[in-house]
Each structure stands twice: as structure tokens, then as C-alpha cells.
């Protein structure tokens, strides 16, 4: 990567806030960044190479940070969100049951024997996409908290299950890797909670603020990248490492100054770079060579929306059901692993991404509708 290419990426990333600027459109910033990546990447002008090692590594850093920030935004200490875990878990079980029926049906129609993979994709949610939408549109209230709990659990479980259903031969290693990441995160949480309880963390924070050391940020990055390294080494997605560590920090309590520093680092540079890399990595033209895969992609996308909307029978508002169906990291990870290990049929990786794009478009509209109806709900 060169500085001119990096400048091009930063310029393209401006499409995100530019599309989000008109309030009446209510478009999340990440949508513009994805579109910008598609425009300058494999599906568009081909101005950037998503396989370039530096670009890929920076994108991985951005992904880890995005998931970490998403985890810190989950109000773990909030009694309301803890009370919502039960309803969120119930809704997730209902979604999983519906996903099993639809996934088995899609596997029978399209062949390939990938029913377990389709079930995981249909039942999954994307905290990295849904929670930024919630934040940017300022959605709130008990229904949103319950949906947040559902999305967080669905995303985490899908991340753990994906390697198991894609390549059962490595299932044992992937399970041990997930346990290693979660155990390490738990140890870090105990360390942070002890330091917070005895006042050590507050003293460090005061010295860091007075001396301009940014010690908290440096410490968090050390732990985050160490956990990400453990995840990569143990063949587990860095999504799990980032999100789990974010939850641990949220459970202890994140200092406001650290939150501002992380916001600048993530939202100002590495986060947009990741979403541009993701858009640039997609080759949507591959679908034209395999027309049945277009039908599969659309079926996965609309099927995911349908199975998540089943939760409306449990009292969840329809727009939030659609929003909870949004997918991003899990389909991308499935397509990437499938290509690298030759586990998917020709055109199938692009179909998985097409399904994710369908859910993203639907979630964008649903979140905007829910936000627009907020004044009416308050009256």
C-alpha cells in the first residue's frame, strides 16, 4: 500500500457520512462506506486491491476495534438489559427453530449439503452492524434493549458455531480456540474488576490524564490485539476476541476519556477502512456466471428476515425484527473460509454476501422507519 492509495481510501470513506448527512434519508454511515468499497474494488473500478497484505491487516485491526467498541456499547451493567436477556434468549431460540426449517429447505432445493451452514447464517445477527445503526439513529427503549440482547447472543453463538458447521474436521480445534479466547477474556475481566475495586485503575487514569500518557488506550490495545492474535492462532474469528473483550470492559465500566479516544481511532480511520475493504473484497459479477446462486443469495437474505420476524409473535415490533436480521461478519467469514478451504460451490461465496446485502438494505429501512415512528410511540 502507498500513501496515494491510502489517501484514495480516506476520500472514498467520506461517502459514508455524506450519505448519512441528510436527516430525512436516515442512512447509517456504514452503508455509504460499503458502497464506496464496492465502487473502488473488485465489483467496480478496481482502484484498490483488497488482497494487498497491508490493506488486509489494517482492515483486520479495524474489525477487531469495531467489535470491541460494539461490545463496550452493550449496557452490561444496566439492570434493564440484564432483565432483557431472558426475553432475548427466548426470541433467539424461536428464530433458531425457524432457521432450522428454512435452512433444511434451502439445502434441499439448491443442493450442496450445506444445511447446517444455512441454518447458522439465517439465525445469525450482526452486532457490528445493528448496534451502530441503533447508535447513529438514537434508538432507545425496552424493545431496543431486548433486541440488543438477542443480537449480541446470536452474533456470539454464530461466531462460535461457524467453523464447526463449515468444516467439521476442525471442529474440535475451533471449539478449544473459542474456549481459550473466552477464558483469557474472563481473566482480563477479573483483573480489571480488581484494579477498579481497589482504586488502582482510578490512580492510573489520573496520572495518565495529567501527564498525557494515554495509558488506558495503550493497555486496551495491547489486550485487544493479544486476544485477536490468540483467536487467529486458534482458528477463531477475531470477532469473538473483540466483542468478548468489549463486553468485559463494559462490565467494569469504560472511562469517558478512553471512550473518546477509541471513538477517534475507530470511527475516524480503522473502522471506515474495514468497511471499505469489505466492500472492495466483494466480486458481485461472479453471480452472473452462476444464476442459481442469485436465487440462493436472495433466498438466504429474505429467509433471514422472515425467520427473525417470527419474533413479532412474542411482542417484538416488526421493524426491530427486521433490524435484528442484519448480517455482516458471519457471511463474510463463511465466504472467506469457504474460498480458502474450497468448501463451497462456485458462486456460493458471492451468494452468501448477496444475502447479507439484502438484510443490510432491509435493516436500514426498518431502523429508519422505527426512528421515524418514535414521536408517535411517545404520544
Amino acid at each position: 500500500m502507498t500513501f496515494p492509495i491510502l489517501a484514495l481510501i480516506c476520500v472514498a470513506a467520506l461517502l459514508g457520512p455524506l450519505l448519512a448527512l441528510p436527516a430525512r434519508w436516515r442512512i447509517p454511515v456504514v452503508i455509504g462506506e460499503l458502497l464506496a468499497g464496492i465502487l473502488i474494488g473488485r465489483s467496480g473500478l478496481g482502484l484498490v486491491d483488497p488482497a494487498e497484505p497491508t490493506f488486509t491487516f489494517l482492515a483486520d485491526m479495524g474489525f477487531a476495534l469495531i467489535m470491541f467498541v460494539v461490545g463496550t456499547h452493550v449496557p452490561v451493567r444496566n439492570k434493564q438489559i440484564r432483565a432483557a436477556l431472558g426475553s432475548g434468549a427466548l426470541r433467539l431460540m424461536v428464530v433458531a427453530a425457524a432457521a432450522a426449517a428454512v435452512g433444511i429447505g434451502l439445502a434441499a432445493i439448491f443442493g450442496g449439503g450445506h444445511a447446517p451452514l444455512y441454518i447458522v447464517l439465517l439465525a445469525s445477527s450482526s452486532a457490528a452492524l445493528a448496534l451502530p445503526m441503533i447508535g447513529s439513529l438514537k434508538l432507545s427503549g425496552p424493545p431496543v434493549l431486548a433486541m440488543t440482547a438477542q443480537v449480541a447472543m446470536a452474533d456470539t453463538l454464530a461466531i462460535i458455531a461457524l467453523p464447526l458447521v463449515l468444516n467439521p474436521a476442525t471442529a474440535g480445534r475451533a471449539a478449544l480456540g473459542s474456549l481459550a479466547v473466552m477464558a483469557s477474556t474472563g481473566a482480563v475481566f477479573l483483573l480489571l474488576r480488581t484494579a477498579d475495586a481497589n482504586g488502582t485503575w482510578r490512580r492510573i487514569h489520573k496520572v495518565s490524564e495529567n501527564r498525557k500518557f494515554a495509558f488506558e488506550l495503550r493497555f486496551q490495545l495491547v489486550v485487544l490485539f493479544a486476544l485477536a492474535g490468540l483467536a487467529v492462532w486458534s482458528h477463531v474469528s477475531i470477532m469473538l476476541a473483540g466483542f468478548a473483550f468489549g463486553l468485559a470492559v463494559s462490565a467494569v465500566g469504560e472511562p469517558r476519556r478512553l471512550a473518546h479516544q477509541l471513538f477517534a481511532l475507530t470511527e475516524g480511520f480503522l473502522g471506515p477502512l474495514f468497511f471499505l475493504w469489505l466492500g472492495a473484497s466483494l466480486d458481485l459479477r461472479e453471480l452472473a456466471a452462476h444464476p442459481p446462486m442469485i436465487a440462493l443469495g436472495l433466498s438466504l437474505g429474505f429467509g433471514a428476515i422472515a425467520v427473525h420476524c417470527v419474533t413479532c409473535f412474542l411482542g417484538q415490533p416488526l421493524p426491530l425484527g427486521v433490524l435484528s436480521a442484519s448480517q455482516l461478519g458471519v457471511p463474510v467469514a463463511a465466504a472467506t473460509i469457504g474460498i480458502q478451504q474450497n468448501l463451497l460451490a462456485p458462486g456460493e461465496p458471492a451468494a452468501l454476501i448477496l444475502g447479507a446485502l439484502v438484510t443490510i438494505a432491509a435493516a436500514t429501512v426498518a431502523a429508519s422507519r422505527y426512528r421515524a415512528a418514535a414521536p408517535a410511540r411517545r404520544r
Side-chain angles (χ1 to χ4, degrees), residues 176-265:
L176 290 175
S178 299
L179 288 175
V181 171
M182 297 301 293
S184 300
T185 305
V188 171
F189 165 71
L190 293 176
L191 175 64
L192 291 175
R193 188 176 65 175
T194 301
D196 182 68
N198 61 26
T200 301
W201 194 245
R202 287 190 295 274
R203 291 191 294 271
I204 292 174
H205 170 74
K206 186 175 180 179
V207 172
S208 177
E209 184 175 17
N210 292 338
R211 302 289 298 277
K212 310 299 181 185
F213 286 161
F215 178 81
E216 300 102 325
L217 178 61
R218 299 183 191 212
F219 174 78
Q220 305 285 24
L221 291 179
V222 167
V223 176
L224 174 62
F225 295 146
L227 289 173
L230 175 61
V232 172
W233 177 77
S234 58
H235 301 277
V236 177
S237 173
I238 59 176
M239 291 187 295
L240 179 61
F243 188 67
F245 182 41
L247 289 177
V249 172
S250 177
V252 175
E254 182 184 32
R256 184 178 302 176
R257 181 166 171 263
L258 175 60
H260 291 164
Q261 293 169 339
L262 286 170
F263 175 84
L265 181 62

Side-chain angles (χ1 to χ4, degrees), residues 30-31 34 59-60 62-64 66-67 70 117 120-133 151 154-163 165-166 236-240 243 274-275 277-279 281-282 323-338 340 344 349 352-360:
V30 296
I31 300 302
L34 283 170
D60 285 342
F63 195 22
I66 286 169
M67 292 308 301
V70 167
L117 171 61
V120 170
L121 291 173
L122 290 166
S124 70
S125 298
S126 175
L129 185 64
L131 297 190
M133 285 187 185
V151 166
D155 201 7
T156 302
L157 292 175
I159 291 167
I160 296 173
L162 183 61
V165 299
L166 259 178
V236 177
S237 173
I238 59 176
M239 291 187 295
L240 179 61
F243 188 67
F274 163 72
F275 285 113
W277 172 85
L278 177 59
S281 300
L282 304 179
L323 178 56
S324 69
S326 60
Q327 300 175 356
L328 186 62
V330 174
V332 169
T336 303
I337 297 172
Q340 292 174 342
L344 301 177
L352 303 186
I353 302 302
L354 175 59
L357 293 177
V358 170
T359 65
I360 290 171

